Amino acid sequence: MMDKEEIISSDSEEDEEDEEVGKESKPDAKKKGWFSSMFQSIAGKANLEKADLEPALKALKDRLMTKNVAEEIAEKLCESVAASLEGKKLASFTRISSTVQAAMEEALVRILTPRRSIDILRDVQAAKEQRKPYVVVFVGVNGVGKSTNLAKVAYWLLQHKVSVMMAACDTFRSGAVEQLRTHARRLQIPIFEKGYEKDPAVVAKEAIQEAARNGSEVVLVDTAGRMQDNEPLMRALSKLIYLNNPDLVLFVGEALVGNDAVDQLSKFNQKLADLSASPNPRLIDGILLTKFDTIDDKVGAALSMVYISGSPVMFVGCGQSYTDLKKLNVKAIVKTLLK
Ligand SMILES: Nc1nc2c(ncn2[C@@H]2O[C@H](COP(=O)(O)OP(=O)(O)OP(=O)(O)O)[C@@H](O)[C@H]2O)c(=O)[nH]1
Ligand SMILES: [Mg+2]
């Protein structure tokens, strides 16, 4: 099992030194040929033009794609970096590739740093003061790790002295209720279940009412896996969210996903918007990225998912035991993406 710290451990600072040419560095005679060749592409030009930036951007796009960033996202990012640099003056003694890399790094940090921070423990406390259970709904395609990571979140909440109840609202896949029951038993927390073939929206409603009665501070709602194109199942999810107005809609996605990350997340959001009975539909609030232990340095799904949804990665699942849940380290991800 690989730890996130292992994934990000690198000697990339040495690479950066290779690329940077500091203002103080004095090119001696020996370095001259190498030194002047670096500036060939912009010789005589006052400002950076798109053509000057293209080779460096192409190399960067390829690098992002080898890290499993969806092609569409890598492309868009390069376009925005190009737009931010076009017409600017290149700082003296600086390579175009370093300038492009620095602009990309800035863009990546900006994208991955949440604009609105969601502090679950604070929000749980606020809900408690209003005498309401805090409700999280776990959604996503089949087999990505919704139920397993729901149990990890339950464990994390228990560690923070928050009382939790599970709601077995995957009333679709056989074995789903028993799977959740096993986690509930191991973690010694209550579970609300009504078997199969019930309307999951109604089961969730009853679970929340039960939590209000028995004083559970948080309800974690498991839902059936569904493909983003499956209209009846997306409609049922939209109903569950409309009827229960959860505090947090958590999209669970695999870190293994490449180009499909864009399709999954954009269609989940699109369908939740289109199929909702509400004029003001709820969309995905946050992302839980799973199977991070299996991807080595291919951390691109984190970027693709945040870029396409604008939602923060709230947790990262990195193994199969309850303790394998972490927070995303933005700096480390950016470093790995650019390595
Ligand atoms: N290596 C690894 N495996 C994981 C992780 N999270 C979940 N899994 C495994 O992924 C498989 C599917 O997990 P589930 O939690 O059943 O997935 P699900 O999304 O609830 O599946 P459905 O309910 O069928 O849609 C199981 O074998 C889990 O042990 C993780 O972070 N790392
Ligand atoms: Mg499940």
Side-chain angles (χ1 to χ4, degrees), residues 140-149 152 170 173 176 179 222-226 289-294 317-320 324:
V141 306
N142 310 73
V144 291
K146 292 175 295 298
S147 310
T148 308
N149 286 278
K152 291 184 208 169
D170 180 351
R173 179 177 65 74
Q179 184 189 359
D222 190 32
T223 67
R226 66 203 75 216
L289 203 56
T290 64
K291 310 189 188 180
F292 213 74
D293 51 309
T294 67
C318 49
Q320 312 218 28
D324 292 327

Side-chain angles (χ1 to χ4, degrees), residues 22-167:
K23 283 189 178 172
E24 291 76 31
S25 59
K26 293 192 186 81
D28 55 25
K30 205 169 69 190
K31 283 186 183 167
K32 203 132 200 184
W34 161 80
F35 186 76
S36 56
S37 74
M38 288 191 316
F39 299 99
Q40 264 172 7
S41 60
I42 56 150
K45 287 179 185 162
N47 294 339
L48 286 168
E49 288 177 13
K50 199 164 185 181
D52 304 321
L53 300 165
E54 252 159 25
L57 282 169
K58 167 82 177 61
L60 208 47
K61 182 186 159 195
D62 290 346
R63 199 184 309 170
L64 290 175
M65 282 168 59
T66 65
K67 300 288 161 61
N68 221 13
V69 175
E71 180 169 11
E72 184 185 334
I73 308 295
E75 181 77 47
K76 281 187 182 148
L77 267 165
C78 287
E79 278 167 18
S80 76
V81 166
S84 75
L85 292 176
E86 252 176 83
K88 294 251 167 74
K89 278 202 163 49
L90 187 69
S92 42
F93 302 110
T94 311
R95 280 171 76 177
I96 291 181
S97 61
S98 309
T99 305
V100 167
Q101 170 124 351
M104 181 63 83
E105 187 174 337
E106 205 177 295
L108 294 177
V109 171
R110 196 172 55 241
I111 291 162
L112 286 166
T113 305
R115 265 161 285 159
R116 45 194 175 81
S117 71
I118 304 173
D119 181 339
I120 294 187
L121 296 173
R122 179 198 61 201
D123 294 350
V124 166
Q125 200 53 40
K128 194 177 168 185
E129 278 157 23
Q130 292 176 32
R131 301 184 173 280
K132 286 195 310 196
Y134 181 87
V135 180
V136 187
V137 177
F138 292 71
V139 307
V141 306
N142 310 73
V144 291
K146 292 175 295 298
S147 310
T148 308
N149 286 278
L150 178 151
K152 291 184 208 169
V153 171
Y155 177 82
W156 174 78
L157 287 165
L158 292 177
Q159 297 300 299
H160 288 87
K161 312 261 179 286
V162 175
S163 60
V164 187
M165 193 176 97
M166 290 181 180

